Amino acid sequence: MNTKLLISPQELTLLLAENSSQPVIIDTRSQEDYAISHIPQSINIRNFFSYLLEDSYPTGLQKLQEYFIEILSRVGISGAEWLIVYEDTFNQGYGQSCRAAFLLKYLGCAQVSILHGGYKAWLRAGLSTTDEVPLRESSIFRLHPNANMMVTTAEMLQAIDNPAIIKLDVRDKAEWLGLSSSPYAPDFCPRKGRIPNAVWLEWHRLMTSSSEISMFRSKAEILEICESVGITSDSIVYIYCFKGSRAANTLIALQLAGIYARNYFGSWNEWSRDFSLPIDSRVF
């Protein structure tokens, strides 16, 4: 099956009406919001996808894999299903649905789609909601990690002085300027700054909002914006943010534009805590 990267609310509601090829719908919002209302048949596993990678060395990646084998098995996901993830809206959750989709694909789920526009787009379309929680039997998740999706710290370090690989920082402006170490608090991490030789493209720029609903821009618009920082359709891009969420959102945008990119999932949270790694700490 050639699974679409993005799926519209209208396409999803047609799928729900079919008797065959039923997707598993994953709600990444808070448990409180899910309890109020959600897309019918969706399951909520928000807290699990906020997992903070300990480090991107083999031991850290193994812990991540073992964690999700247990979680996904518990909620009845084997990895063979068509999985559709959604959040409230793209510009409010730090890219959480894209982070979830990235993790699922990294773990070996071949069929993963993202609801374009999120739950707000679903509501704007006037589609049905529920507060009923579906019952799912446990399963055995089959791990097939795709290492090529994730940039490790060692690979990012090797790429610093390689002009053929663009190091793309997509964090918010205060983080890029070295005024804050994270989106949570200025001193959440021990160091502020940037990975040396990185270029900056704030993640919001690749999306547009209509009626408070954030959507990805067109391929032509994404390419034009990327070209302003030296990224073309021939580029190789390593993306980072704080913990891989905004980077995952940007990764989706670049994929829509046909640009090859990988996610440095450990991002600034990992890089800044290792004092052996170089940083550009100038305050602009």
Side-chain angles (χ1 to χ4, degrees):
M1 177 184 291
N2 184 18
T3 306
K4 293 180 63 176
L5 186 58
L6 299 177
I7 188 168
S8 71
Q10 293 76 14
E11 289 171 322
L12 179 52
T13 196
L14 288 174
L15 284 173
L16 291 175
E18 295 178 358
N19 293 323
S20 60
S21 302
Q22 284 285 308
V24 176
I25 308 171
I26 299 174
D27 184 317
T28 67
R29 299 175 304 146
S30 70
Q31 292 178 339
E32 292 77 13
D33 287 340
Y34 175 82
I36 294 170
S37 69
H38 49 263
I39 294 174
Q41 302 178 34
S42 63
I43 59 175
N44 179 261
I45 46 179
R46 156 69 184 275
N47 293 338
F48 306 128
F49 286 117
S50 62
Y51 180 94
L52 205 58
L53 182 66
E54 185 174 299
D55 62 64
S56 58
Y57 294 97
T59 53
L61 293 174
Q62 183 178 356
K63 288 181 181 179
L64 179 147
Q65 293 166 10
E66 292 173 347
Y67 176 84
F68 279 103
I69 288 172
E70 178 184 350
I71 296 303
L72 295 174
S73 296
R74 186 190 309 167
V75 298
I77 293 175
S78 69
E81 306 88 350
W82 184 1
L83 307 174
I84 299 176
V85 297
Y86 72 92
E87 59 185 294
D88 187 49
T89 185
F90 285 157
N91 62 350
Q92 293 184 1
Y94 295 109
Q96 69 191 44
S97 64
C98 297
R99 187 182 204 264
F102 173 83
L103 278 168
L104 290 166
K105 291 181 74 68
Y106 164 75
L107 294 165
C109 302
Q111 303 177 65
V112 183
S113 299
I114 301 164
L115 181 63
H116 200 190
Y119 191 57
K120 284 189 175 177
W122 180 270
L123 294 176
R124 185 175 67 176
L127 300 172
S128 64
T129 64
T130 185
D131 60 1
E132 296 182 1
V133 178
L135 297 176
R136 291 185 59 82
E137 295 183 359
S138 62
S139 180
I140 298 176
F141 180 76
R142 305 295 183 183
L143 177 71
H144 300 285
N146 184 353
N148 290 330
M149 290 183 61
M150 192 179 292
V151 176
T152 66
T153 293
E155 288 175 315
M156 183 62 92
L157 183 61
Q158 291 176 344
I160 282 180
D161 295 318
N162 184 353
I165 299 176
I166 296 175
K167 283 67 67 179
L168 181 61
D169 187 320
V170 299
R171 296 175 298 165
D172 295 349
K173 188 174 183 179
E175 296 166 83
W176 166 256
L177 292 178
L179 302 174
S180 179
S181 69
S182 82
Y184 305 122
D187 298 313
F188 188 88
C189 293
R191 296 192 291 173
K192 304 181 183 73
R194 299 154 293 282
I195 292 177
N197 298 325
V199 298
W200 179 56
L201 178 61
E202 194 170 21
W203 70 298
H204 286 294
R205 290 185 60 192
L206 300 181
M207 298 180 288
T208 184
S209 294
S210 173
S211 302
E212 299 183 351
I213 298 175
S214 188
M215 310 279 280
F216 286 110
R217 293 183 182 273
S218 68
K219 176 179 179 178
E221 289 175 311
I222 293 170
L223 282 171
E224 182 179 0
I225 294 169
C226 286
E227 286 173 0
S228 71
V229 295
I231 298 173
T232 71
S233 57
D234 296 323
S235 297
I236 298 172
V237 185
Y238 288 1
I239 314 170
Y240 77 95
C241 57
F242 171 68
K243 64 173 186 178
S245 295
R246 291 167 289 179
N249 180 283
T250 304
L251 180 70
I252 298 298
L254 267 57
Q255 288 178 338
L256 292 172
I259 298 170
Y260 178 74
R262 297 171 64 195
N263 187 347
Y264 174 38
F265 196 69
S267 284
W268 191 251
N269 183 62
E270 178 179 359
W271 189 275
S272 66
R273 296 181 190 281
D274 185 343
F275 283 78
S276 70
L277 297 172
I279 66 169
D280 178 357
S281 59
R282 293 171 296 165
V283 177
F284 295 140

